Amino acid sequence: MPATIKAEVHSVVYHNPDNGYAVARVRAKDEPGVITVVGCLGQLQPGEFLELEGEWKNHPKFGRQLEVSSFKQTYPATEHGVVRFLKSSLKGVGEKTAEALVKEFGVAVLDILDSDPERLRKVKGITKNRLEGMLESWRGQREVKSLIVFLHSHEVPPTYASRIFKLYGAQSEEKLRENPYELAYLIRGIGFKTADVMALKLGFAEDAPQRIEAALGYVLISQGDRGGHMFCPEEQLFKECSRMLGIDELALLEEGLASLERKKRVHIEDLPEQGVERAVFLMSNYRAEREISQRLFGLVSHPAPVSRAEVNRALPRIEAALGFDLSREQREAVFEACVNKVFIITGGPGTGKTTITRAIVAALTQLKLKVKLAAPTGRAAKRLSEATGEQAQTLHRLLLYSPEHGFYHCEDQKLSAEVLLVDEVSMLDAGLFLALLRALPVTCRLVLVGDVNQLPSVGAGNVLADLIDSGRVPKAVLTHIFRQAQESSIVVNAHRFNAGKFPIPSEKEPPEADFFWIPQDNPQKVQEMILEMVTARIPERYGLNPSRDVQVLTPMHKGEVGTSALNQLLQERLNPRRGAELKRGYATFRPGDRVLQLRNNYDKEVFNGDLGWVHEVDSEEGSLMVDFDGNLVGFDATELEDLTLAYAVSVHKSQGCEYPAIVVPVVTQHYVLLMRNLLYTALTRARRLAVFIGSEKALATGLSNTTSGQRMTHLKHRIRHIFSGNLLG
């Protein structure tokens, strides 16, 4: 039911500073007691007066509330209201100061804040600096609310008002009228589509140059975000933009791209080595590839010799410490890793990468070199520590990253290390690899360890594959599968997957059997079988804890066997409601739930991909506590979007992790993402047991698909050029 009310803010229950969404209790004339209002209202303050328009709704849990569609700010009408407003709104103003201001000026004090603020210094304690702070907070609140009203008036969702104001300040409205598409470049979360809706509502034409340029930029960014590509062929770029904009005029698209090139937002070049004419790079991607190749060449070519004889003398001592002899292939890999400035070790499961990593660290330490260990994620770093017995950390922590200042260790503040060994390098994107190279002194040695057949990084680039394919970086490709590993069906079938072959069943019986392929074409029945496997059959036959030891890995988020549906169903079976719980969007969190961290949070020291368990829930405060391997971390209501249930996670999110048991659905619904390297990556996450359930057609599709996930990069060719003497890379 539509309604308009005038109300005084009594209290603020919730406020999201990123999007301005708020839940508040207000007192309104003709409405008994305190009522609830919700909507994009900015940062409200108790004592503030608002005129609100919206609709009354009955929330199933919270009851009657006004869903606000638009509002305007009015001033408190009483001295008591002004006191409450001042003490909650202005920086440095408490109850006594607020009462003194009202006693001196009455309700007119709010007008004076706008028209003649110097008069307020008549009140004892209002110094020049204190008045500056008061005015800063007053103007900020007024201007954000003015921006929200402006957005409302143009039928534009005010969700991003706070971020827009943080970017543009008092010029926000002017900047939006000039070119709202700039927001897509400058504010994370505002993509082209959001900016486009805003621009069209503000009166921009469908063929406006700003719209065309923004669409071109959006396609290039999304190609990197979704496909990991570093460039896009011009013809494909125009085709995508034409479809998205509904514009067929090639001349408009050509002029838009030329304008972006003049502004140095894109770089265009022919790539004859790949048969691509006019490849279009975001300028940041082009510069990243150029700089990576140049810095890599500088690292390799700068001498920092290690005695080959000394390495040979150290190897027997290393073998004695390890308690076994290295194979010929392993000895060569350890030797080359010690004597080369940059060295790559790659190989599949069972080929001894972990053993070689331990041996390399021991050898380099015996050579009295200062060795540091790192990996792209927290769980991968933990596994590296366990494998070597030495401290390892995430690359972001090693380089001392902060969201405000970026990487502390960089070109101007080099890392103090003589050797850096990085594990799980398949997860390393171009941006992070460049940050790493900038931080290394040219005297440092770099050892890169990873499985090139796994899924590439989530971010743009294909670093490990490009380094290997360039042929210019020394490497060891481990191929020998050791006898003990040959007894594992997980290892055997991982190599079969990598060769595009169907898996073979384990010859053993549970609990010794470690691999099962269960054919089932019906997705609904696949779902039912997954639930039975996780909650009953695996725990009963293998003695594993279903909540902690059994992980479902799935290619997609949607559908009967996507993460969303499976998380809800598994939560109901493994952790049904017994007490407090907390709802956030589609997710409900309960004590004992397995959860996944979705973003790096450097203040809390939790990182994208970290697994934890909900330790405690506070329904009243809308907060919870999560246990990340003994590290208790609190999340308030504004931070819950960083968490998701993790009974089922995507294969991409599982990279760098190992689980005692995995269950993987393979269905034709997921054909878009079914690729050989995805199936291989999923299988290699299992330590003791892997169960694949699905249709043979879907499995065959995935095993034969080696091209759809290929990335458009030019790094390997730039490396070849610069190592061949072409300094342009």
Side-chain angles (χ1 to χ4, degrees), residues 313 357 657:
R313 286 195 298 272
T357 301
C657 302

Side-chain angles (χ1 to χ4, degrees), residues 16 28 90 242 251 258 278 333-334 354 394 452-453 541 565 646 662 675 680:
N16 186 327
L90 299 188
S242 179
R278 291 184 63 80
V334 174
T354 300
T394 66
V452 74
N453 294 308
R541 298 191 184 189
I662 64 165
M675 296 173 286
Y680 173 82

Side-chain angles (χ1 to χ4, degrees), residues 166-323:
K166 188 175 181 180
L167 176 67
Y168 289 137
Q171 295 181 299
S172 294
E173 290 184 27
E174 180 186 340
K175 291 286 187 181
L176 287 177
R177 292 182 189 279
E178 184 181 310
N179 188 2
Y181 292 105
E182 286 292 305
L183 298 175
Y185 293 103
L186 301 173
I187 299 181
R188 183 183 174 184
I190 299 184
F192 169 79
K193 292 177 182 178
T194 302
D196 194 39
V197 169
M198 193 180 300
L200 295 175
K201 299 263 186 177
L202 289 168
F204 279 74
E206 290 189 355
D207 61 353
Q210 299 96 321
R211 185 171 189 249
I212 292 169
E213 289 178 27
L216 291 163
Y218 170 77
V219 170
L220 290 172
I221 291 169
S222 60
Q223 288 265 321
D225 290 345
R226 292 201 303 264
H229 303 298
M230 296 294 281
F231 70 84
C232 182
E234 183 184 69
E235 184 179 352
Q236 182 181 331
L237 175 63
F238 286 166
K239 184 177 178 180
E240 285 282 317
C241 283
S242 179
R243 180 187 56 78
M244 188 170 72
L245 296 173
I247 292 174
D248 292 328
E249 295 180 52
L250 183 60
L252 291 175
L253 296 173
E254 289 175 338
E255 176 50 39
L257 186 60
S259 177
L260 290 176
E261 188 177 24
R262 287 193 296 271
K263 294 173 182 176
K264 298 194 181 302
R265 283 188 165 169
V266 301
H267 171 81
I268 303 170
E269 65 178 309
D270 294 338
L271 307 178
E273 303 93 338
Q274 302 192 59
V276 178
E277 290 186 14
R278 291 184 63 80
V280 184
F281 291 79
L282 287 172
M283 186 59 77
S284 57
N285 286 348
Y286 167 69
R287 287 174 174 162
E289 287 196 344
R290 283 274 313 272
E291 193 176 342
I292 285 171
S293 60
Q294 290 164 353
R295 288 186 179 277
L296 194 65
F297 177 74
L299 200 62
V300 169
S301 59
H302 192 281
V306 166
S307 166
R308 302 172 79 88
E310 198 173 351
V311 176
N312 275 324
R313 286 195 298 272
L315 284 173
R317 297 195 297 270
I318 301 305
E319 289 174 321
L322 291 172

Side-chain angles (χ1 to χ4, degrees), residues 554-567 596 598 644-645 648-653 669-670 673:
T554 180
M556 295 186 74
H557 298 294
K558 297 179 180 179
E560 291 104 319
V561 290
T563 59
S564 299
L566 289 174
N567 269 319
L596 184 77
L598 296 174
T644 187
L645 292 174
V649 301
S650 69
V651 178
H652 285 84
K653 286 291 185 185
Q669 289 176 338
H670 294 165
L673 286 176

Side-chain angles (χ1 to χ4, degrees), residues 113-178:
L113 271 166
D114 278 326
S115 60
D116 192 8
E118 280 295 320
R119 286 178 60 194
L120 302 182
R121 292 186 61 190
K122 285 178 62 178
V123 174
K124 186 178 178 182
I126 305 293
T127 62
K128 183 177 180 181
N129 287 341
R130 195 174 183 188
L131 181 60
E132 286 285 329
M134 290 166 57
L135 292 175
E136 183 183 353
S137 56
W138 172 252
R139 282 192 294 264
Q141 289 179 44
R142 294 287 303 279
E143 287 166 348
V144 170
K145 285 193 171 61
S146 173
L147 177 59
I148 290 174
V149 172
F150 169 78
L151 295 174
H152 266 309
S153 68
H154 289 84
E155 301 178 72
V156 174
T159 310
Y160 297 100
S162 296
R163 293 192 204 176
I164 294 170
F165 184 77
K166 188 175 181 180
L167 176 67
Y168 289 137
Q171 295 181 299
S172 294
E173 290 184 27
E174 180 186 340
K175 291 286 187 181
L176 287 177
R177 292 182 189 279
E178 184 181 310

Side-chain angles (χ1 to χ4, degrees), residues 18-49:
D18 286 336
N19 60 25
Y21 182 82
V23 179
R25 307 270 195 257
V26 304
R27 295 186 185 277
K29 188 179 179 182
D30 301 326
E31 290 288 340
V34 178
I35 60 175
T36 301
V37 297
V38 300
C40 289
L41 299 161
Q43 189 168 353
L44 298 176
Q45 305 295 342
E48 187 172 357
F49 273 69

Side-chain angles (χ1 to χ4, degrees), residues 407-580:
F407 293 98
Y408 172 77
H409 288 297
C410 58
E411 176 65 30
D412 299 322
Q413 191 68 43
K414 296 292 188 182
L415 191 67
S416 175
E418 293 171 303
V419 183
L420 176 64
L421 185 146
V422 184
D423 197 11
E424 295 288 357
V425 180
S426 63
M427 301 173 68
L428 208 57
D429 63 37
L432 185 53
F433 188 51
L434 175 56
L436 170 63
L437 292 176
R438 284 173 174 168
L440 292 183
V442 291
T443 54
C444 188
R445 318 180 90 77
L446 180 62
V447 181
L448 303 171
V449 182
D451 186 345
V452 74
N453 294 308
Q454 286 190 25
L455 285 169
S457 58
V458 174
N462 200 9
V463 170
L464 180 58
D466 282 343
L467 293 180
I468 292 172
D469 292 345
S470 74
R472 299 297 188 270
V473 183
K475 65 183 182 295
V477 181
L478 307 178
T479 57
H480 176 70
I481 304 174
F482 289 88
R483 182 179 301 171
Q484 186 177 359
Q486 289 176 359
E487 297 175 3
S488 164
S489 292
I490 292 173
V491 172
V492 169
N493 284 321
H495 287 276
R496 289 183 67 84
F497 275 12
N498 198 34
K501 298 177 181 178
F502 260 72
I504 54 176
S506 174
E507 295 178 356
K508 301 174 183 177
E509 295 295 324
E512 283 76 31
D514 63 355
F515 179 89
F516 293 91
W517 162 246
I518 304 174
Q520 176 52 253
D521 290 336
N522 187 314
Q524 185 60 47
K525 289 186 177 178
V526 172
Q527 183 192 86
E528 293 167 7
M529 294 177 76
I530 289 171
L531 298 177
E532 184 187 358
M533 281 285 173
V534 174
T535 62
R537 291 176 65 179
I538 291 175
E540 288 168 6
R541 298 191 184 189
Y542 288 82
L544 296 174
N545 182 327
S547 294
R548 289 186 171 260
D549 298 332
V550 186
Q551 180 67 62
V552 178
L553 303 179
T554 180
M556 295 186 74
H557 298 294
K558 297 179 180 179
E560 291 104 319
V561 290
T563 59
S564 299
L566 289 174
N567 269 319
Q568 285 188 328
L569 293 167
L570 286 166
Q571 182 190 44
E572 289 308 312
R573 285 160 176 76
L574 296 174
N575 193 26
R577 182 175 182 179
R578 298 184 184 89

